[in-house]
Amino acid sequence: MTYFPEEVVEHIFDFLGSHRDRNAVSTVCKAWYHVERFSRRNVFVGNCYAIRPERVMARFPGMKSLSVKGKPHFADYNLVPYDWGGFALPWINAAVRRCPGLEDLRLKRMVVTDDDLDLLARSFPNFRSLVLVSCEGFSTDGLAAIATYCRGLRELDLQENEVEDHGRQWLSCFHESCTSLVSLNFACLKGEVNAGVLERLVARCPNLRSLKLNRAVSVESLNEIVARAPYLVDLGTGSFAVDHHTDAYQRLMNSFSKCKSLSSLSGFWEASPHCLDAVYPVCINLTVLNMSYAPAIQADDLIKLISLCFKLQKLWVLDCIGDKGLAVVASTCKELQELRVFPSDIYGAGATSVTEEGLVAISSGCPKLNSLLYFCYQMTNAALITVAKNCPHFTRFRLCILDPWKPDPVTNQPLDEGFGAIVRSCKNLRRLSLSGLLTDQVFLYIGLYAKCLEMLSIAFAGDSDKGMVYILKGCKNLRKLEIRDCPFGDFALLNDVAKYETMRSLWMSSCDVTLGGCKALAAKMPRLNVEIINESEGSDKLEENISDLHKAEKMYVYRTVAGPRNDAPDFVWTL
Amino acid sequence: MEEEFTRGEGRPRLLDLVPNGRDWGSYAAAEEKKLELRLGLPGGEDWPAGQEKREHPVESVLSLGHISKVPKSTNVNASSGTKRGFLGQVEPKTEGILIDYMTFQQQQLQQPQLGFLQLQAKGKESLQKTSGSAEQQSLEGKGCGPHAAHASSTKNAAVAHTTSQSRRAAATPVVGWPPVRSFRMNLAGTAAKASAESQNGSSEGAKKLENDRKSLFVKINVDGIPIGRKVDLKAYDSYDKLSLAVDELFRGLMAAQVDPLAPSTRKNSEEKDVLVGLLDGSGEYTLVYEDDEGDRMLVGDVPWDSSSQKGGNQIIVWNILILLLPLITCSMFVSMAKRLRVLKSSELSASSVSSFFV
């Protein structure tokens, strides 16, 4: 292989899509390392603090597409303070200096300011695609800058970000000559956009295939848009509040019937009953349906809609669909691969919600199911065992029983056996989230059987340090471990410190690890950053006074070649 | 932040009970006592900052009688009926489940104490189910063997165990649980009122849905601090409480700020309570809100609660722009404020605060 000219090797490497494969070939020999690094176009950085941006740009000078992740996953649930870190600016700055040919940028859980977006917009003439997922710190002013200066922009995808609305008509900033948009998603924005501007933008972008509107877009506007863009593949409706007796509704139904390519629907922020009928013409082709933002839709309307969606592969719903609705899904959607059932009434035992029955029905009706996120109030071991038997192809299995420590209501046993069956049966399981009453036994099973597991989320589970030790010893491919409110302490933490260098990160909050234990870990492993988040008052002054026996309320450990970070706020101590 | 959530004392006791035969019967009794053992209540960072007692009955964390706890009896019947149906469907094709049930039964028999109590608890649960006792009997028969249920005998044991449960889970809502993002938390709770929407127009219905939300997180920014916070307006019933909460929220951040202004302001920043006088205009900062028309308004002009006349309260001059979406009829202020902002009082004249010039 080393006798091949570099161009040939490079051409062979072009067939390697995944980052892991490219990382692997680059370690074979120096020659391959050099070929690979000059030919890599897509760079993925799973933890923005694991490496300095300059080093990344220096290694991959041909980088065209960059994807960076910032905060730990539990930041989604308000466990990480706002100003913890994850700033986009160092990455954008480094790219400005070293990779001005940057075309795509994707950021997840990072802090992005309007100035950052402005800099981004002005610095990369070939910029095509900006995807921001769960980010914050910017406003519509930043979006205006992107719209103004990114002339060839093809994709602007804002997913579940916190965006301040400064009222600026950012959408108007798209130049009249901008006709290149392929994908536009501003569903997370709260403010209004000018309907006329939006409609004209849609009309002049013939390649537009994915459009996700926000709640403020009216049905009339939606009608205009759908009428002008019949080639849409992916649509997020705006509010969808329409009285089905009106002409507007009829027009809407007509428009939808012309959308032959539409295969993905979401939105329905304020949908009234019967208005879903307008969407029936497209159901037959739908592969993706997201009704999880529509608490107003009754189960019956939902069921009527879904019973037409034979080709559905991905379904996100609220639990008001009920077990009955899930049975309909099971009998209709034989191609279903991903199901997410979100809670619709968190504050009390829902009058309608889903139970283990619904899950069992889905598992027996949808054999291709491989990804699940399921919120419910109860689950039984028997049901989980059945599910495991019916669906051995799970790659992602996330079950959240809303009451912590809740046992199997039928047998009053912990759910160890149920989850044990899941990991035993699903050999390709990569991601698992546990809930309910669980003892150390479940961790024994996971360590024993879940050999492909990469990400594990644990809450309110386990009896002793043994649980965590089983996990760390058994799961060879573990990359991310996040634990909250479990009785795991220093013994488990320090049992195998070298393991953490094989993982991306470890999060432990409200467990039994002490400051002393964390310090010991930091001392033994210089290539880990051991960060303690201490949110009590005057925390920056008291570090010397807190004894090592004090419990570390929140600890985040990650491997890094960049050393301790220099942008940590006062309440974050890097040991 | 989570130190309120005590795990220390009660937890080892609970775990010790697992191998020794946990008294499961306690949970059904516990819910009758309506102890605040529930942990699955609204998360969100402002929860510890002053949530009042919840209106709805709180269920035991480890409640066995989850089904029976549902207020509407129809649902109880439905769920117990469907439960039976599940077992009925499952039986023909999966002997494995029954075998697994048997395994569980054997495990319980190995720990006779646990088994006995579990059966009793099962009986207790069935007693609590409203009607359809025949269904219950068959359910019991299929699943768990004979039961000799006497609810009263479990109650004593239940009480003793309940207290240890309650110590661990004592009425403290858990931050970040359930693991659902904030915007979904705000969405949740409107589903239960979905029926209202079918009567009104859709937009009114949506507003009504929002009215019945149990929490409303809105953004609040303080001038000079780049990072904002979120505050749950529904957690408060007066401007004073809101102002206290805002003070607490930002105290740490204010103290961390280096104050570049004149010595007079620096002196203020050294004090512990930097955010006093927000309501009456006497402090360094003022509270302002932004209403749904986009105008900035001084906080305090409208009574917090439209139902009770609180006009006598001091005018609360908080510059808080509350990012509120829908109107909430139960609180006038909460319904009008879209966003909160805390501005420096010295800058008030420069900003366009509508009522300031009146």
Side-chain angles (χ1 to χ4, degrees), chain A residues 71 78 80-84 87 111-113 136-138 162 164 166 535 571, chain B residues 45-46 182 217-232 245-246 248-254 257 275 319-323 339-342:
Chain A
K71 300 185 193 181
N78 299 323
V80 177
Y82 269 167
D83 27 353
W84 173 86
F87 301 106
V111 176
V112 185
T113 65
E136 62 191 356
F138 62 102
E162 294 263 349
E164 272 199 25
H166 287 179
E535 290 168 296
F571 55 81
Chain B
E45 61 266 38
D46 294 299
S182 337
F217 286 99
V218 296
K219 284 192 191 172
I220 167 169
N221 287 84
V222 173
D223 229 7
I225 298 181
I227 305 291
R229 298 296 303 259
K230 271 199 172 170
V231 60
D232 179 6
V246 173
E248 277 179 33
L249 269 183
F250 282 100
R251 197 180 296 177
L253 288 172
M254 297 285 280
Q257 289 276 330
L275 291 175
N319 291 328
I320 306 178
L321 295 173
I322 302 179
L323 198 60
R339 193 154 177 177
L340 295 176
R341 240 188 243 286
V342 179

Side-chain angles (χ1 to χ4, degrees), chain B residues 5-195:
Chain B
F5 176 53
T6 53
R7 297 178 42 254
E9 252 185 284
R11 192 152 175 86
R13 208 167 299 140
L14 168 68
L15 297 172
D16 287 342
L17 285 169
V18 174
N20 294 335
R22 191 197 305 239
D23 181 0
W24 292 103
S26 67
Y27 308 126
E31 79 181 49
E32 284 184 43
K33 295 178 182 293
K34 299 206 170 150
L35 291 171
E36 292 189 286
L37 300 178
R38 183 186 171 88
L39 291 174
L41 285 171
E45 61 266 38
D46 294 299
W47 184 259
Q51 182 77 355
E52 299 302 315
K53 207 162 155 50
R54 283 158 289 288
E55 299 146 18
H56 52 272
V58 182
E59 62 170 328
S60 159
V61 169
L62 294 167
S63 168
L64 295 174
H66 166 75
I67 297 171
S68 55
K69 184 186 53 58
V70 173
K72 304 185 182 101
S73 58
T74 51
N75 283 326
V76 174
N77 284 334
S79 44
S80 60
T82 51
K83 203 175 177 50
R84 184 175 59 99
F86 158 63
L87 284 176
Q89 284 163 12
V90 159
E91 271 190 13
K93 54 176 176 164
T94 48
E95 288 179 331
I97 290 188
L98 284 182
I99 293 173
D100 289 315
Y101 268 122
M102 301 313 288
T103 316
F104 294 147
Q105 286 301 306
Q106 282 162 12
Q107 282 176 2
Q108 286 147 23
L109 289 171
Q110 285 162 11
Q111 302 168 10
Q113 195 180 6
L114 173 61
F116 170 72
L117 289 171
Q118 178 255 331
L119 290 173
Q120 285 203 328
K122 197 75 192 75
K124 171 82 176 137
E125 183 186 31
S126 71
L127 283 177
Q128 286 191 351
K129 288 177 184 167
T130 50
S131 66
S133 53
E135 295 174 2
Q136 309 301 331
Q137 297 288 339
S138 60
L139 179 68
E140 297 295 324
K142 277 182 197 166
C144 302
H147 72 269
H150 282 287
S152 53
S153 58
T154 59
K155 261 194 184 160
N156 293 334
V159 173
H161 189 72
T162 300
T163 49
S164 67
Q165 290 295 316
S166 61
R167 209 172 296 131
R168 178 190 59 191
T172 311
V174 181
V175 175
W177 191 265
V180 164
R181 300 194 186 189
S182 337
F183 75 89
R184 285 201 187 276
M185 298 281 266
N186 286 342
L187 265 179
T190 60
K193 303 299 185 292
S195 56

Side-chain angles (χ1 to χ4, degrees), chain A residues 290-443:
Chain A
N290 181 353
M291 305 296 293
S292 66
Y293 305 127
I297 295 189
Q298 307 275 26
D300 290 334
D301 291 330
L302 199 49
I303 289 172
K304 270 198 289 185
L305 183 72
I306 291 178
S307 58
L308 298 171
C309 302
F310 298 104
K311 293 193 190 161
L312 209 58
Q313 293 173 13
K314 182 161 132 171
L315 176 63
W316 290 22
V317 285
L318 292 171
D319 65 359
C320 38
I321 193 177
D323 288 335
K324 199 175 68 155
L326 289 180
V328 173
V329 174
S331 60
T332 312
C333 309
K334 295 301 180 188
E335 303 295 317
L336 196 68
Q337 295 177 23
E338 174 175 332
L339 174 67
R340 295 198 188 188
V341 180
F342 293 96
S344 57
D345 189 7
I346 292 177
Y347 308 114
T352 45
S353 69
V354 293
T355 68
E356 73 275 9
E357 245 191 81
L359 186 58
V360 170
I362 291 282
S363 72
S364 56
C366 307
K368 295 190 183 174
L369 195 66
N370 59 46
S371 171
L372 180 75
L373 172 61
Y374 198 78
F375 284 85
C376 57
Y377 281 92
Q378 62 179 58
M379 183 54 59
T380 63
N381 281 309
L384 285 175
I385 291 168
T386 311
V387 170
K389 223 179 308 220
N390 292 339
C391 291
H393 304 299
F394 274 119
T395 53
R396 286 184 287 274
F397 190 87
R398 299 161 68 189
L399 178 66
C400 179
I401 300 167
L402 287 157
D403 291 338
W405 302 293
K406 183 155 182 162
D408 180 331
V410 171
T411 63
N412 305 318
Q413 294 290 313
L415 292 174
D416 301 336
E417 297 303 316
F419 280 107
I422 294 283
V423 292
R424 221 176 358 242
S425 161
C426 304
K427 308 253 186 293
N428 292 323
L429 195 66
R430 292 198 313 261
R431 181 168 180 182
L432 178 64
S433 298
L434 307 172
S435 58
L437 183 70
L438 295 164
T439 70
D440 287 343
Q441 184 74 4
V442 72
F443 299 117

